[in-house]
Amino acid sequence: MTRRAVADIEASRLPAEQLRTNFSDVAPPLDSHQALIAAQRCFYCYDAPCTIACPTGIDIASFIRSLATEDRRSAAQTILDANILGGSCARVCPTEVLCEGACVRNGADRPGAEQQPVQIGALQRYATDWVYAEQAPLFTRGADSGKRVAVLGAGPAGLACAHHLARHGHRVEIYDPKSKPGGLNEYGIAAYKVPDFAQAEVQWLLSIGGIELIHRPGLSKTVNLEAMAADYDAVFVAVGLAGVAALNIPGEYLPGVRNAVDFIADLRQSEDLSTLVVGRRVVVIGGGNTAIDAAIQSKRLGAETVTLVYRRGFESMSATGHEQEFAKAEGVSLLPWAQPRQFIGEEDCLSQVEFERTEVDADGQLVGTGAGFRLHADWALKAIGQKLDAVPLAELALHRGKIRVDADYATSMPGVWAGGDCAFSEGDPDKQDLTVQAVEDGKRAAVAIDRALRGEQE
Ligand code: SF4
C-alpha cells in the first residue's frame, strides 16, 4: 500500500480496552428479578398477536407464563420446540417489527394503555441462555429410521432441518466448507449483537446425536446434485447466498473498497480487535442490516466519519427504523436518495466516492437525476446484497436468482428440498431473508422430508 493508504487505513484507532467495551454485548441479559417483572407485564392473550407475528410461531404467552412462575425449563422447552435457534433469534430478530411490534401493550391509541411492549426478545434470551450454558439435553433423538439425509449448509436453515430430522430418527450429514458451523450467525451478524454465542448454541443443537458435520462442500466436480440425491434418501439445500453482488462501476477494485460481508466476517473471527484495520473516513453503500452492522462496526473500531448512503428513501430500507435510529445514535450519518457513480483513487487508493442523486419517476422507476456530489473516503464498504452461487446447483430450476421451491420446499429435482435465503417459494414471494425465517424454512422442510421418507417406508 502507498504511504497515504497506510496513514488513513489503520488498526488500533482506539485503545484495546475501549475496543473490548465497544464489541461487548450490546443488550446485556435480564437478571432473574428483571425477567420476573417483565414476564408479569404479559396479558397472556388468547390468540396472541405476538405468536402470529413470529415466523416460527413460538407460543409466546405460554413461555412467558412459565417464566412468571419461575419455570425456566418449561419456558425454554416451549421456545426451542418451535424454534431450535431460539437463542440466536432472541438476539438478532427485528422484534420491533415482529413479535414485540404486535404486542397489545403497544396500545398508544387506547386510553390508559402502556406504550412499551413486553420485552419478548429479552425474555426469550433469559429463558434459553441457561440451556447453552449447561448444555441441558431437552430433546432426544428418535429411534433410528435407517434413512440418511444430506444437508448442504450449516446455517440456520440447515441446522434447524437437521435437528428436526434427528428428532425423527433420521441420520443427517451436514456439509459446509467453513471451519465453523452457524452460517450467518457465526460469520454475518455484527460482533456486538452475538458475542461468543453461536458455537455454544450449535454445540447444544448437535448434542441430540445422529448429526455429522462434514467440513467440505457436498457438491464438487465429481459429485453433482443428482449423484448426491441417488446416494442419500433425501437432500436439503440450505447454502444461503454466498455470492457477493457487484456494482460494476469504475474504481470498484481500488484498494480501500471492500465487501461489507467480508468485513463483518473478519471482525467476527478476530481474536484481537486491535489488529483490525479500518478507514478514517468510511462510506457504506446499502440499506439493509449488513450495511447498518458494517457502519456501526466501523464507528466502533474508531473511524472518524461514517456515512451510509442508500439509493431510496429511509422507509424503503430493509433495516428497520429501530436499526436506523441505533446507527444514528452511534454517530453514523444516513444519506438517502443517492447511488454510487464511481470510486475515485489517489496514489492508487480510494480517496473519494462520487454519487448521483436519485428519485422515483412518474412510472415508479428509480432513476438518476444527473446531479452529483462526492464524499471523501479512504474506505468504502459495499453492502448491496448477496446472490446465490448457482453454478453447483445448475440442475435445479431457479426463479428470481434463487432455487424455486413449492409449498413443501420441494425443488424441481425429486428427492431434493431447499430452504432459507437460497430458496424462492411461490407461495411466499415476499419472504424476508431473516434468521428466524430460515429456521422456519428448515423446520417445515424437515416435516415434508420426514413425511416423504415415512411414505417410502410405508
Ligand atoms: S423468534 Fe424472534 S420473532 Fe419469534 S418470538 Fe422470538 S424474538 Fe420474537
Side-chain angles (χ1 to χ4, degrees):
M1 278 198 185
T2 66
R3 198 175 306 136
R4 189 191 68 73
V6 171
D8 290 338
I9 302 171
E10 61 182 15
S12 291
R13 287 191 176 279
L14 298 173
E17 187 54 38
Q18 179 73 52
L19 287 172
R20 258 194 303 281
T21 305
N22 286 357
F23 288 92
S24 61
D25 211 336
V26 71
L30 300 177
D31 63 29
S32 56
H33 180 68
Q34 291 167 325
L36 194 58
I37 304 266
Q40 287 169 344
R41 292 187 64 239
C42 183
F43 289 138
Y44 314 121
C45 306
Y46 177 73
D47 267 353
C50 53
T51 288
I52 296 166
C54 170
T56 52
I58 292 174
D59 187 345
I60 294 167
S62 173
F63 97 70
I64 292 181
R65 191 187 289 274
S66 296
L67 289 182
T69 58
E70 300 188 55
D71 185 352
R72 229 168 154 187
R73 185 181 189 90
S74 293
Q77 188 95 38
T78 302
I79 294 162
L80 297 168
D81 196 38
N83 180 336
I84 201 64
L85 288 164
S88 285
C89 289
R91 290 162 168 81
V92 305
C93 272
T95 53
E96 65 279 6
V97 294
L98 297 174
C99 52
E100 292 179 17
C103 178
V104 298
R105 284 275 191 187
N106 287 301
D109 54 346
R110 290 192 299 121
E114 295 174 47
Q115 293 188 30
Q116 293 298 316
V118 173
Q119 294 171 272
I120 298 169
L123 285 170
Q124 180 168 314
R125 176 173 172 178
Y126 175 77
T128 53
D129 266 2
W130 72 275
V131 175
Y132 315 114
E134 295 181 17
Q135 292 287 307
L138 294 186
F139 301 96
T140 49
R141 189 179 170 223
D144 193 352
S145 68
K147 302 287 182 185
R148 289 168 64 238
V149 181
V151 171
L152 302 181
L159 290 169
C161 183
H163 192 270
H164 278 266
L165 290 169
R167 282 172 73 179
H168 285 103
H170 308 304
R171 271 181 293 148
V172 183
E173 288 166 24
I174 306 180
Y175 292 87
D176 195 301
K178 292 232 159 70
S179 60
K180 293 183 189 170
L184 284 183
N185 283 353
E186 176 57 44
Y187 294 97
I189 292 170
Y192 54 85
K193 290 182 181 170
V194 279
D196 300 332
F197 171 72
Q199 291 311 303
E201 184 179 47
V202 175
Q203 191 188 340
W204 171 79
L205 183 150
L206 296 179
S207 68
I208 191 171
I211 304 172
E212 186 186 350
L213 206 50
I214 300 169
H215 294 284
R216 63 177 163 82
L219 302 177
S220 63
K221 282 186 183 148
T222 51
V223 181
N224 63 11
L225 202 49
E226 195 176 351
M228 182 166 259
D231 190 26
Y232 287 88
D233 296 295
V235 178
F236 179 58
V237 183
V239 291
L241 301 174
V244 178
L247 284 163
N248 297 316
I249 59 173
E252 190 164 1
Y253 299 101
L254 273 171
V257 183
R258 292 198 70 192
N259 288 313
V261 284
D262 296 339
F263 173 55
I264 292 171
D266 284 353
L267 214 147
R268 282 297 300 278
Q269 300 307 307
S270 171
E271 293 187 354
D272 181 2
L273 293 169
S274 61
T275 63
L276 282 173
V277 297
V278 69
R280 191 158 62 86
R281 291 166 300 190
V282 177
V283 166
V284 181
I285 299 162
N289 286 330
T290 301
I292 294 275
D293 285 4
I296 293 174
Q297 290 200 161
S298 299
K299 203 77 181 98
R300 289 187 169 211
L301 275 176
E304 286 173 18
T305 64
V306 180
T307 309
L308 185 150
V309 186
Y310 180 54
R311 61 199 174 121
R312 291 180 181 270
F314 293 132
E315 66 290 348
S316 302
M317 289 175 75
S318 58
T320 63
H322 174 81
E323 291 273 334
Q324 293 176 36
E325 289 307 316
F326 183 50
K328 285 187 209 163
E330 292 279 316
V332 175
S333 303
L334 303 190
L335 186 58
W337 297 112
Q339 63 191 9
R341 203 148 53 183
Q342 63 170 324
F343 297 100
I344 299 164
E346 188 184 298
E347 295 180 39
D348 284 338
C349 288
L350 180 69
S351 64
Q352 295 183 67
V353 188
E354 183 175 294
F355 290 91
E356 180 182 23
R357 290 276 175 203
T358 53
E359 63 183 9
V360 174
D361 69 10
D363 297 327
Q365 299 297 315
L366 185 78
V367 292
T369 65
F373 64 93
R374 290 180 178 185
L375 292 177
H376 288 287
D378 38 63
W379 186 256
L381 295 166
K382 298 181 292 173
I384 52 170
Q386 289 171 267
K387 57 184 185 177
L388 179 70
D389 178 7
V391 175
L393 303 164
E395 299 147 281
L396 297 178
L398 304 183
H399 186 73
R400 293 196 202 164
K402 295 188 173 188
I403 301 166
R404 181 163 56 79
V405 295
D406 66 13
D408 278 335
Y409 297 85
T411 69
S412 55
M413 183 182 287
V416 179
W417 286 258
D421 293 355
C422 68
F424 175 87
S425 168
E426 278 164 4
D428 190 5
D430 299 322
K431 186 182 83 167
Q432 285 187 288
D433 290 347
L434 295 173
T435 299
V436 64
Q437 185 60 57
V439 173
E440 181 66 4
D441 280 8
K443 184 175 84 180
R444 288 198 200 183
V447 170
I449 293 169
D450 175 59
R451 210 169 42 223
L453 296 183
R454 279 191 291 110
E456 277 179 22
Q457 281 180 324
E458 281 159 15

